[in-house]
Amino acid sequence: MKKLSQLSTRELEAIEGVLNGVEGAIIIDENGIIRIFTDYYERESGFVKEEVLGKRVDQVFPHTRLLEVLNTGKAITADMWELNGKCQIVSRVPIMSEGEIIGVLGINIFRYLNEARGFARRVQKMFSELKYYKEEVQRIYGAKYSLGAIIGKSKEILEAKEMVQTIAPTNNPVLIYGETGTGKELFAHAVHQESARREGPFVRVNCAGIPDNLIESELFGYEEGAFTGARKGGKPGKFELAHHGSIFLDEVSELSWAAQAKLLRALQENEIERVGSTSLTAVDTRFISATNIPLNKLVAEGKFRKDLFFRLNTFAITIPPLREHLSDLPLLCRHFIHHYNQENGTTVVGINNEALQLLASYHWPGNVRELNIAIERACIDARKGIITVNNLLRFTRFVSGQNSIAEGYQGFDIKEARKEAEKAVISRALKASNNNRRKAAELMGISRSALYIKIEALEIE
């Protein structure tokens, strides 16, 4: 490349034509001679361009710092420079060729100081808005529960919590297995909170609650015009919303075969394809999934992809049903009583031993969720003082749809009582829904797959 001092007048004019579009600019060559002096500087300085060109810059501007950059090779950025009593914000950068300094460019960033202040205010406003939106995203898509929110000191619960601490720091997929009501989502929140992604979004997806024909567009998003009624500009899917965070796929066993194939690609390649798109979008998302049905059983039945199962099952956490850690009942009861005292304005101080024995004798098909409902209603009934058996039994029919607490309390075999109770509830739900299994599953708060398995296992006609 030529040195600046060797450029022709035409070449210099071509460069100046470009620089005139950025207001003020001045270029000196390797000898400190002014080679380019834009119209803005001519107008603001009062110098005539023809008289300035060809002179050393310090002869025109005695306090210039352009020569400092020429000698050191170090840029001076966002510096204040006074020109005819007006403070300009300028930057000075060396012009390099093959490792050699062949000149310096001085360029205006802001014409006047008030412009810089206005820009600073706009930047501050932008960062304030960015902080607000980040906080809103965290509020909407943030994890709400930490490991400390999981109540229990039994060996079974402590082992599950220890597994969370072991798995969370990795980026590997996590599969959480547990019966309905055991707190799978609570553990999913804890995995996210214990990970390095805790500041990122935590996006929850109930796979059973999305119709089959919408599951792909919900998970992967869609492009404008992808289908009738598609939003103008398209819509990002849950995976894009979970970028740099975690996505929690609850009841993952309910995904359609086609959605499973796309999910597998997202897991393997870290990229998704919007519905109606011909390009791929990279996503950095940690997968947390949950199911109340053993996926290996569904794989054996040909209802779930084996390759996807192996990817999701990299690390597994099994949450014990409440009947397997009944020693945590007193802790859970105290926790729920404290919560509902605050929420409902009651002043219940505890639960008596007889009521605890009643709770311990029940098989809890709805697990901790069912206990939560039972304590809430008992608190409302008692209002103050101690929860008794009467407070629990008054609302027994609302706890699980039948008097199964009373039956357990009367000494039935727990396994047989649970079997008979589940048969009664399923039969009643099927009757109420005119044998529509999807509606029956919704009534009971379980997935269709879980209902099918229970009907077969309990030999319900």
Side-chain angles (χ1 to χ4, degrees):
M1 178 180 177
K2 295 180 181 178
K3 292 188 176 182
L4 289 175
S5 59
Q6 298 171 337
L7 294 181
S8 66
T9 302
R10 180 177 294 180
E11 288 171 325
L12 290 170
E13 287 176 348
I15 296 172
E16 183 179 345
V18 174
L19 292 175
N20 272 323
V22 292
E23 296 288 355
I26 182 172
I27 291 180
I28 62 172
D29 64 18
E30 68 276 12
N31 300 313
I33 304 299
I34 299 175
R35 294 297 175 183
I36 290 178
F37 194 72
T38 60
D39 295 342
Y40 171 82
Y41 275 144
E42 182 180 33
R43 185 171 62 252
E44 291 294 311
S45 68
F47 293 119
V48 178
K49 184 184 299 187
E50 287 72 16
E51 294 177 357
V52 168
L53 294 175
K55 289 185 178 180
R56 269 184 62 92
V57 67
D58 52 351
Q59 292 177 336
V60 180
F61 302 108
H63 303 295
T64 181
R65 299 186 70 185
L66 290 172
L67 294 176
E68 180 183 336
V69 176
L70 184 65
N71 293 328
T72 64
K74 294 180 180 179
I76 300 173
T77 58
D79 189 30
M80 287 191 294
W81 178 51
E82 189 172 315
L83 181 61
N84 280 349
K86 297 177 182 178
C87 190
Q88 318 269 332
I89 308 297
V90 300
S91 284
R92 308 171 185 90
V93 293
I95 302 172
M96 310 291 293
S97 175
E98 298 177 356
E100 181 182 355
I101 299 174
I102 63 169
V104 177
L105 166 66
I107 190 167
N108 263 44
I109 301 175
F110 298 103
R111 291 176 299 175
Y112 309 117
L113 190 57
N114 61 338
E115 282 188 356
R117 288 171 178 156
F119 177 75
R121 284 193 295 270
R122 291 194 297 274
V123 170
Q124 182 61 43
K125 182 181 178 183
M126 180 187 70
F127 276 109
S128 296
E129 290 176 351
L130 183 62
K131 181 182 178 184
Y132 168 77
Y133 288 119
K134 184 177 180 181
E135 288 172 351
E136 281 296 289
V137 168
Q138 186 67 18
R139 182 181 65 82
I140 298 170
Y141 293 117
K144 297 180 177 132
Y145 307 107
S146 63
L147 202 58
I150 300 173
I151 308 301
K153 292 185 178 179
S154 62
K155 176 176 175 291
E156 294 80 6
I157 290 296
L158 291 178
E159 285 178 351
K161 291 171 75 170
E162 185 178 345
M163 186 66 74
V164 170
Q165 290 177 312
T166 301
I167 293 171
T170 74
N171 278 319
N172 296 90
V174 178
L175 177 62
I176 302 173
Y177 172 74
E179 295 180 8
T180 298
T182 50
K184 296 185 289 295
E185 184 169 339
L186 202 65
F187 275 84
H189 280 259
V191 170
H192 177 77
Q193 288 284 54
E194 292 292 315
S195 74
R197 297 172 178 265
R198 66 181 66 87
E199 297 298 324
F202 178 79
V203 179
R204 300 171 289 282
V205 181
N206 181 2
C207 299
I210 305 174
D212 289 344
N213 61 329
L214 295 179
I215 190 73
E216 288 188 48
S217 61
E218 283 295 312
L219 289 179
F220 309 113
Y222 58 80
E223 295 292 342
E224 181 177 341
F227 49 82
T228 303
R231 181 189 297 177
K232 185 177 181 180
K235 179 185 174 183
K238 302 295 187 183
F239 278 91
E240 288 180 73
L241 293 175
H243 191 53
H244 294 321
S246 304
I247 186 166
F248 173 48
L249 302 172
D250 197 11
E251 297 198 61
V252 70
S253 58
E254 295 296 307
L255 286 176
S256 67
W257 196 264
Q260 289 179 36
K262 280 202 167 186
L263 177 60
L264 180 64
R265 181 184 183 88
L267 267 164
Q268 290 178 329
E269 308 296 336
N270 292 320
E271 57 189 17
I272 56 98
E273 182 179 341
R274 286 186 176 188
V275 175
S277 175
T278 57
S279 61
L280 298 172
T281 301
V283 289
D284 173 23
T285 305
R286 207 265 180 84
F287 289 75
I288 306 172
S289 51
T291 175
N292 59 0
I293 305 169
L295 291 185
N296 55 349
K297 178 178 175 62
L298 296 181
V299 169
E301 295 172 356
K303 297 176 181 176
F304 201 85
R305 294 181 63 109
K306 182 186 293 186
D307 46 7
L308 178 58
F309 166 67
F310 287 133
R311 292 291 297 179
L312 292 175
N313 198 43
T314 304
F315 286 107
I317 301 173
T318 300
I319 307 173
L322 181 55
R323 63 183 177 276
E324 292 181 7
H325 62 105
L326 290 174
S327 61
D328 288 325
L329 269 174
L331 276 176
L332 288 166
C333 288
R334 282 199 296 270
H335 172 74
F336 293 139
I337 288 170
H338 175 71
H339 173 75
Y340 289 116
N341 278 340
Q342 291 183 319
E343 187 170 290
N344 300 324
T346 54
T347 55
V348 176
V349 295
I351 182 169
N352 69 18
N353 288 334
E354 186 181 11
L356 276 175
Q357 288 173 10
L358 172 58
L359 296 178
S361 68
Y362 180 49
H363 58 276
W364 297 108
N367 291 291
V368 178
R369 183 185 294 131
E370 188 177 2
L371 175 65
N372 188 349
I373 295 170
I375 296 300
E376 179 182 17
R377 286 171 173 163
C379 284
I380 292 172
D381 185 58
R383 298 300 303 174
K384 61 182 180 179
I386 301 289
I387 290 175
T388 66
V389 169
N390 289 336
N391 299 130
L392 291 170
L393 292 180
R394 196 184 308 276
F395 293 99
T396 298
R397 62 185 179 278
F398 298 119
V399 175
S400 64
Q402 61 176 355
N403 291 327
S404 48
I405 286 185
E407 290 172 5
Y409 185 59
Q410 293 169 9
F412 284 103
D413 175 80
I414 287 179
K415 290 183 180 179
E416 188 62 30
R418 182 186 182 199
K419 181 178 177 182
E420 293 303 319
E422 288 192 348
K423 285 180 70 173
V425 172
I426 292 170
S427 296
R428 189 161 51 255
L430 288 169
K431 183 178 179 180
S433 62
N434 293 320
N435 285 320
N436 184 314
R437 295 188 177 188
R438 181 181 63 79
K439 289 183 179 179
E442 289 176 357
L443 285 173
M444 292 182 289
I446 63 175
S447 67
R448 284 171 290 172
S449 301
L451 176 59
Y452 296 148
I453 290 172
K454 287 181 181 294
I455 287 174
E456 183 179 346
L458 297 171
E459 299 178 352
I460 298 173
E461 295 182 359

PDB file of all heavy atoms in Angstrom, residues 140-143 192 200-205 237-243 245-249 285 288:
ATOM      1  N   ILE A 140     -41.254 -13.800  34.785  1.00  0.00           N
ATOM      2  CA  ILE A 140     -42.169 -14.681  34.061  1.00  0.00           C
ATOM      3  C   ILE A 140     -41.560 -16.056  33.840  1.00  0.00           C
ATOM      4  O   ILE A 140     -42.223 -17.085  33.997  1.00  0.00           O
ATOM      5  CB  ILE A 140     -42.548 -14.041  32.708  1.00  0.00           C
ATOM      6  CG1 ILE A 140     -43.277 -12.711  32.947  1.00  0.00           C
ATOM      7  CG2 ILE A 140     -43.419 -14.978  31.881  1.00  0.00           C
ATOM      8  CD1 ILE A 140     -43.482 -11.891  31.685  1.00  0.00           C
ATOM      9  N   TYR A 141     -40.283 -16.071  33.448  1.00  0.00           N
ATOM     10  CA  TYR A 141     -39.637 -17.327  33.089  1.00  0.00           C
ATOM     11  C   TYR A 141     -38.518 -17.706  34.051  1.00  0.00           C
ATOM     12  O   TYR A 141     -37.600 -18.420  33.678  1.00  0.00           O
ATOM     13  CB  TYR A 141     -39.072 -17.243  31.665  1.00  0.00           C
ATOM     14  CG  TYR A 141     -40.133 -17.149  30.598  1.00  0.00           C
ATOM     15  CD1 TYR A 141     -40.223 -16.033  29.784  1.00  0.00           C
ATOM     16  CD2 TYR A 141     -41.054 -18.171  30.409  1.00  0.00           C
ATOM     17  CE1 TYR A 141     -41.187 -15.935  28.796  1.00  0.00           C
ATOM     18  CE2 TYR A 141     -42.021 -18.088  29.432  1.00  0.00           C
ATOM     19  CZ  TYR A 141     -42.085 -16.977  28.628  1.00  0.00           C
ATOM     20  OH  TYR A 141     -43.039 -16.885  27.655  1.00  0.00           O
ATOM     21  N   GLY A 142     -38.588 -17.219  35.259  1.00  0.00           N
ATOM     22  CA  GLY A 142     -37.545 -17.553  36.226  1.00  0.00           C
ATOM     23  C   GLY A 142     -37.958 -18.710  37.124  1.00  0.00           C
ATOM     24  O   GLY A 142     -39.142 -18.955  37.343  1.00  0.00           O
ATOM     25  N   ALA A 143     -36.983 -19.439  37.633  1.00  0.00           N
ATOM     26  CA  ALA A 143     -37.274 -20.508  38.596  1.00  0.00           C
ATOM     27  C   ALA A 143     -37.666 -19.888  39.923  1.00  0.00           C
ATOM     28  O   ALA A 143     -37.073 -18.917  40.372  1.00  0.00           O
ATOM     29  CB  ALA A 143     -36.041 -21.406  38.757  1.00  0.00           C
ATOM     30  N   HIS A 192     -32.388 -26.121  38.109  1.00  0.00           N
ATOM     31  CA  HIS A 192     -32.030 -24.877  37.420  1.00  0.00           C
ATOM     32  C   HIS A 192     -31.339 -23.894  38.377  1.00  0.00           C
ATOM     33  O   HIS A 192     -30.319 -23.294  38.033  1.00  0.00           O
ATOM     34  CB  HIS A 192     -33.291 -24.239  36.836  1.00  0.00           C
ATOM     35  CG  HIS A 192     -33.047 -22.922  36.174  1.00  0.00           C
ATOM     36  ND1 HIS A 192     -32.484 -22.811  34.911  1.00  0.00           N
ATOM     37  CD2 HIS A 192     -33.270 -21.643  36.594  1.00  0.00           C
ATOM     38  CE1 HIS A 192     -32.378 -21.531  34.596  1.00  0.00           C
ATOM     39  NE2 HIS A 192     -32.846 -20.804  35.595  1.00  0.00           N
ATOM     40  N   GLY A 200     -30.454 -17.289  33.900  1.00  0.00           N
ATOM     41  CA  GLY A 200     -31.171 -17.393  32.636  1.00  0.00           C
ATOM     42  C   GLY A 200     -32.619 -17.793  32.842  1.00  0.00           C
ATOM     43  O   GLY A 200     -33.059 -18.068  33.959  1.00  0.00           O
ATOM     44  N   PRO A 201     -33.393 -17.852  31.754  1.00  0.00           N
ATOM     45  CA  PRO A 201     -34.817 -18.193  31.870  1.00  0.00           C
ATOM     46  C   PRO A 201     -35.037 -19.659  32.234  1.00  0.00           C
ATOM     47  O   PRO A 201     -34.211 -20.519  31.941  1.00  0.00           O
ATOM     48  CB  PRO A 201     -35.370 -17.886  30.475  1.00  0.00           C
ATOM     49  CG  PRO A 201     -34.190 -17.972  29.568  1.00  0.00           C
ATOM     50  CD  PRO A 201     -33.007 -17.527  30.372  1.00  0.00           C
ATOM     51  N   PHE A 202     -36.153 -19.915  32.905  1.00  0.00           N
ATOM     52  CA  PHE A 202     -36.607 -21.267  33.213  1.00  0.00           C
ATOM     53  C   PHE A 202     -38.004 -21.384  32.617  1.00  0.00           C
ATOM     54  O   PHE A 202     -38.962 -20.830  33.146  1.00  0.00           O
ATOM     55  CB  PHE A 202     -36.638 -21.500  34.725  1.00  0.00           C
ATOM     56  CG  PHE A 202     -37.149 -22.862  35.128  1.00  0.00           C
ATOM     57  CD1 PHE A 202     -36.333 -23.979  35.046  1.00  0.00           C
ATOM     58  CD2 PHE A 202     -38.448 -23.021  35.579  1.00  0.00           C
ATOM     59  CE1 PHE A 202     -36.805 -25.220  35.420  1.00  0.00           C
ATOM     60  CE2 PHE A 202     -38.927 -24.260  35.955  1.00  0.00           C
ATOM     61  CZ  PHE A 202     -38.106 -25.365  35.882  1.00  0.00           C
ATOM     62  N   VAL A 203     -38.102 -22.042  31.467  1.00  0.00           N
ATOM     63  CA  VAL A 203     -39.353 -22.099  30.713  1.00  0.00           C
ATOM     64  C   VAL A 203     -40.039 -23.439  30.942  1.00  0.00           C
ATOM     65  O   VAL A 203     -39.446 -24.498  30.705  1.00  0.00           O
ATOM     66  CB  VAL A 203     -39.088 -21.876  29.212  1.00  0.00           C
ATOM     67  CG1 VAL A 203     -40.386 -21.970  28.410  1.00  0.00           C
ATOM     68  CG2 VAL A 203     -38.435 -20.519  28.985  1.00  0.00           C
ATOM     69  N   ARG A 204     -41.282 -23.381  31.398  1.00  0.00           N
ATOM     70  CA  ARG A 204     -42.041 -24.588  31.710  1.00  0.00           C
ATOM     71  C   ARG A 204     -43.005 -24.925  30.580  1.00  0.00           C
ATOM     72  O   ARG A 204     -43.700 -24.052  30.052  1.00  0.00           O
ATOM     73  CB  ARG A 204     -42.824 -24.396  33.016  1.00  0.00           C
ATOM     74  CG  ARG A 204     -41.931 -24.112  34.201  1.00  0.00           C
ATOM     75  CD  ARG A 204     -42.713 -23.708  35.437  1.00  0.00           C
ATOM     76  NE  ARG A 204     -43.309 -22.383  35.336  1.00  0.00           N
ATOM     77  CZ  ARG A 204     -42.640 -21.254  35.499  1.00  0.00           C
ATOM     78  NH1 ARG A 204     -41.346 -21.281  35.767  1.00  0.00           N
ATOM     79  NH2 ARG A 204     -43.244 -20.094  35.395  1.00  0.00           N
ATOM     80  N   VAL A 205     -43.061 -26.201  30.225  1.00  0.00           N
ATOM     81  CA  VAL A 205     -43.961 -26.677  29.175  1.00  0.00           C
ATOM     82  C   VAL A 205     -44.703 -27.910  29.683  1.00  0.00           C
ATOM     83  O   VAL A 205     -44.063 -28.899  30.065  1.00  0.00           O
ATOM     84  CB  VAL A 205     -43.192 -27.058  27.893  1.00  0.00           C
ATOM     85  CG1 VAL A 205     -44.165 -27.516  26.807  1.00  0.00           C
ATOM     86  CG2 VAL A 205     -42.337 -25.906  27.398  1.00  0.00           C
ATOM     87  N   GLY A 237     -40.489 -20.138  19.671  1.00  0.00           N
ATOM     88  CA  GLY A 237     -40.983 -21.254  20.463  1.00  0.00           C
ATOM     89  C   GLY A 237     -40.367 -21.264  21.858  1.00  0.00           C
ATOM     90  O   GLY A 237     -39.542 -20.407  22.198  1.00  0.00           O
ATOM     91  N   LYS A 238     -40.785 -22.218  22.651  1.00  0.00           N
ATOM     92  CA  LYS A 238     -40.298 -22.317  24.029  1.00  0.00           C
ATOM     93  C   LYS A 238     -38.788 -22.520  24.087  1.00  0.00           C
ATOM     94  O   LYS A 238     -38.124 -22.029  25.007  1.00  0.00           O
ATOM     95  CB  LYS A 238     -41.000 -23.467  24.747  1.00  0.00           C
ATOM     96  CG  LYS A 238     -42.517 -23.361  24.802  1.00  0.00           C
ATOM     97  CD  LYS A 238     -42.973 -22.169  25.626  1.00  0.00           C
ATOM     98  CE  LYS A 238     -44.482 -22.167  25.810  1.00  0.00           C
ATOM     99  NZ  LYS A 238     -44.963 -20.983  26.543  1.00  0.00           N
ATOM    100  N   PHE A 239     -38.239 -23.230  23.096  1.00  0.00           N
ATOM    101  CA  PHE A 239     -36.793 -23.478  23.120  1.00  0.00           C
ATOM    102  C   PHE A 239     -36.016 -22.184  22.911  1.00  0.00           C
ATOM    103  O   PHE A 239     -34.986 -21.964  23.561  1.00  0.00           O
ATOM    104  CB  PHE A 239     -36.410 -24.506  22.052  1.00  0.00           C
ATOM    105  CG  PHE A 239     -36.638 -25.921  22.477  1.00  0.00           C
ATOM    106  CD1 PHE A 239     -37.847 -26.544  22.225  1.00  0.00           C
ATOM    107  CD2 PHE A 239     -35.669 -26.620  23.161  1.00  0.00           C
ATOM    108  CE1 PHE A 239     -38.076 -27.838  22.627  1.00  0.00           C
ATOM    109  CE2 PHE A 239     -35.881 -27.913  23.569  1.00  0.00           C
ATOM    110  CZ  PHE A 239     -37.095 -28.536  23.307  1.00  0.00           C
ATOM    111  N   GLU A 240     -36.485 -21.321  22.024  1.00  0.00           N
ATOM    112  CA  GLU A 240     -35.810 -20.043  21.820  1.00  0.00           C
ATOM    113  C   GLU A 240     -35.943 -19.153  23.057  1.00  0.00           C
ATOM    114  O   GLU A 240     -35.002 -18.440  23.424  1.00  0.00           O
ATOM    115  CB  GLU A 240     -36.387 -19.332  20.598  1.00  0.00           C
ATOM    116  CG  GLU A 240     -35.992 -19.989  19.279  1.00  0.00           C
ATOM    117  CD  GLU A 240     -36.571 -19.265  18.084  1.00  0.00           C
ATOM    118  OE1 GLU A 240     -36.089 -18.159  17.768  1.00  0.00           O
ATOM    119  OE2 GLU A 240     -37.516 -19.798  17.475  1.00  0.00           O
ATOM    120  N   LEU A 241     -37.104 -19.199  23.712  1.00  0.00           N
ATOM    121  CA  LEU A 241     -37.297 -18.416  24.932  1.00  0.00           C
ATOM    122  C   LEU A 241     -36.380 -18.895  26.054  1.00  0.00           C
ATOM    123  O   LEU A 241     -36.029 -18.136  26.947  1.00  0.00           O
ATOM    124  CB  LEU A 241     -38.756 -18.502  25.388  1.00  0.00           C
ATOM    125  CG  LEU A 241     -39.791 -17.840  24.466  1.00  0.00           C
ATOM    126  CD1 LEU A 241     -41.202 -18.107  24.974  1.00  0.00           C
ATOM    127  CD2 LEU A 241     -39.555 -16.340  24.365  1.00  0.00           C
ATOM    128  N   ALA A 242     -36.009 -20.179  26.002  1.00  0.00           N
ATOM    129  CA  ALA A 242     -35.160 -20.756  27.052  1.00  0.00           C
ATOM    130  C   ALA A 242     -33.674 -20.648  26.730  1.00  0.00           C
ATOM    131  O   ALA A 242     -32.844 -21.255  27.418  1.00  0.00           O
ATOM    132  CB  ALA A 242     -35.539 -22.225  27.277  1.00  0.00           C
ATOM    133  N   HIS A 243     -33.309 -19.881  25.701  1.00  0.00           N
ATOM    134  CA  HIS A 243     -31.898 -19.734  25.300  1.00  0.00           C
ATOM    135  C   HIS A 243     -31.057 -19.247  26.485  1.00  0.00           C
ATOM    136  O   HIS A 243     -31.431 -18.298  27.169  1.00  0.00           O
ATOM    137  CB  HIS A 243     -31.813 -18.752  24.144  1.00  0.00           C
ATOM    138  CG  HIS A 243     -30.483 -18.693  23.471  1.00  0.00           C
ATOM    139  ND1 HIS A 243     -29.839 -19.813  22.986  1.00  0.00           N
ATOM    140  CD2 HIS A 243     -29.664 -17.643  23.207  1.00  0.00           C
ATOM    141  CE1 HIS A 243     -28.686 -19.449  22.444  1.00  0.00           C
ATOM    142  NE2 HIS A 243     -28.562 -18.139  22.575  1.00  0.00           N
ATOM    143  N   GLY A 245     -30.754 -20.718  29.185  1.00  0.00           N
ATOM    144  CA  GLY A 245     -31.397 -21.133  30.432  1.00  0.00           C
ATOM    145  C   GLY A 245     -31.769 -22.595  30.379  1.00  0.00           C
ATOM    146  O   GLY A 245     -31.048 -23.412  29.800  1.00  0.00           O
ATOM    147  N   SER A 246     -32.904 -22.938  30.990  1.00  0.00           N
ATOM    148  CA  SER A 246     -33.363 -24.320  31.045  1.00  0.00           C
ATOM    149  C   SER A 246     -34.806 -24.403  30.557  1.00  0.00           C
ATOM    150  O   SER A 246     -35.589 -23.474  30.761  1.00  0.00           O
ATOM    151  CB  SER A 246     -33.293 -24.868  32.474  1.00  0.00           C
ATOM    152  OG  SER A 246     -31.993 -24.747  33.014  1.00  0.00           O
ATOM    153  N   ILE A 247     -35.149 -25.521  29.934  1.00  0.00           N
ATOM    154  CA  ILE A 247     -36.527 -25.778  29.550  1.00  0.00           C
ATOM    155  C   ILE A 247     -36.994 -27.026  30.296  1.00  0.00           C
ATOM    156  O   ILE A 247     -36.270 -28.027  30.363  1.00  0.00           O
ATOM    157  CB  ILE A 247     -36.681 -25.951  28.027  1.00  0.00           C
ATOM    158  CG1 ILE A 247     -38.158 -26.065  27.649  1.00  0.00           C
ATOM    159  CG2 ILE A 247     -35.898 -27.136  27.489  1.00  0.00           C
ATOM    160  CD1 ILE A 247     -38.425 -25.911  26.167  1.00  0.00           C
ATOM    161  N   PHE A 248     -38.161 -26.928  30.911  1.00  0.00           N
ATOM    162  CA  PHE A 248     -38.706 -28.030  31.699  1.00  0.00           C
ATOM    163  C   PHE A 248     -39.893 -28.626  30.952  1.00  0.00           C
ATOM    164  O   PHE A 248     -40.930 -27.982  30.793  1.00  0.00           O
ATOM    165  CB  PHE A 248     -39.138 -27.540  33.077  1.00  0.00           C
ATOM    166  CG  PHE A 248     -39.855 -28.579  33.898  1.00  0.00           C
ATOM    167  CD1 PHE A 248     -39.343 -29.852  34.039  1.00  0.00           C
ATOM    168  CD2 PHE A 248     -41.044 -28.272  34.538  1.00  0.00           C
ATOM    169  CE1 PHE A 248     -39.992 -30.815  34.794  1.00  0.00           C
ATOM    170  CE2 PHE A 248     -41.710 -29.216  35.296  1.00  0.00           C
ATOM    171  CZ  PHE A 248     -41.190 -30.492  35.422  1.00  0.00           C
ATOM    172  N   LEU A 249     -39.730 -29.853  30.466  1.00  0.00           N
ATOM    173  CA  LEU A 249     -40.766 -30.553  29.724  1.00  0.00           C
ATOM    174  C   LEU A 249     -41.486 -31.500  30.673  1.00  0.00           C
ATOM    175  O   LEU A 249     -41.050 -32.624  30.907  1.00  0.00           O
ATOM    176  CB  LEU A 249     -40.152 -31.321  28.558  1.00  0.00           C
ATOM    177  CG  LEU A 249     -39.368 -30.478  27.543  1.00  0.00           C
ATOM    178  CD1 LEU A 249     -38.646 -31.377  26.555  1.00  0.00           C
ATOM    179  CD2 LEU A 249     -40.285 -29.515  26.811  1.00  0.00           C
ATOM    180  N   THR A 285     -29.693 -24.506  25.435  1.00  0.00           N
ATOM    181  CA  THR A 285     -30.738 -24.783  26.406  1.00  0.00           C
ATOM    182  C   THR A 285     -30.458 -26.074  27.151  1.00  0.00           C
ATOM    183  O   THR A 285     -30.056 -27.064  26.551  1.00  0.00           O
ATOM    184  CB  THR A 285     -32.110 -24.899  25.703  1.00  0.00           C
ATOM    185  OG1 THR A 285     -32.346 -23.724  24.937  1.00  0.00           O
ATOM    186  CG2 THR A 285     -33.229 -25.081  26.700  1.00  0.00           C
ATOM    187  N   ILE A 288     -34.600 -30.322  31.017  1.00  0.00           N
ATOM    188  CA  ILE A 288     -35.072 -31.002  32.221  1.00  0.00           C
ATOM    189  C   ILE A 288     -36.457 -31.541  31.887  1.00  0.00           C
ATOM    190  O   ILE A 288     -37.331 -30.775  31.472  1.00  0.00           O
ATOM    191  CB  ILE A 288     -35.156 -30.048  33.433  1.00  0.00           C
ATOM    192  CG1 ILE A 288     -33.818 -29.335  33.650  1.00  0.00           C
ATOM    193  CG2 ILE A 288     -35.570 -30.806  34.688  1.00  0.00           C
ATOM    194  CD1 ILE A 288     -33.869 -28.239  34.712  1.00  0.00           C
TER     195      ILE A 288
END
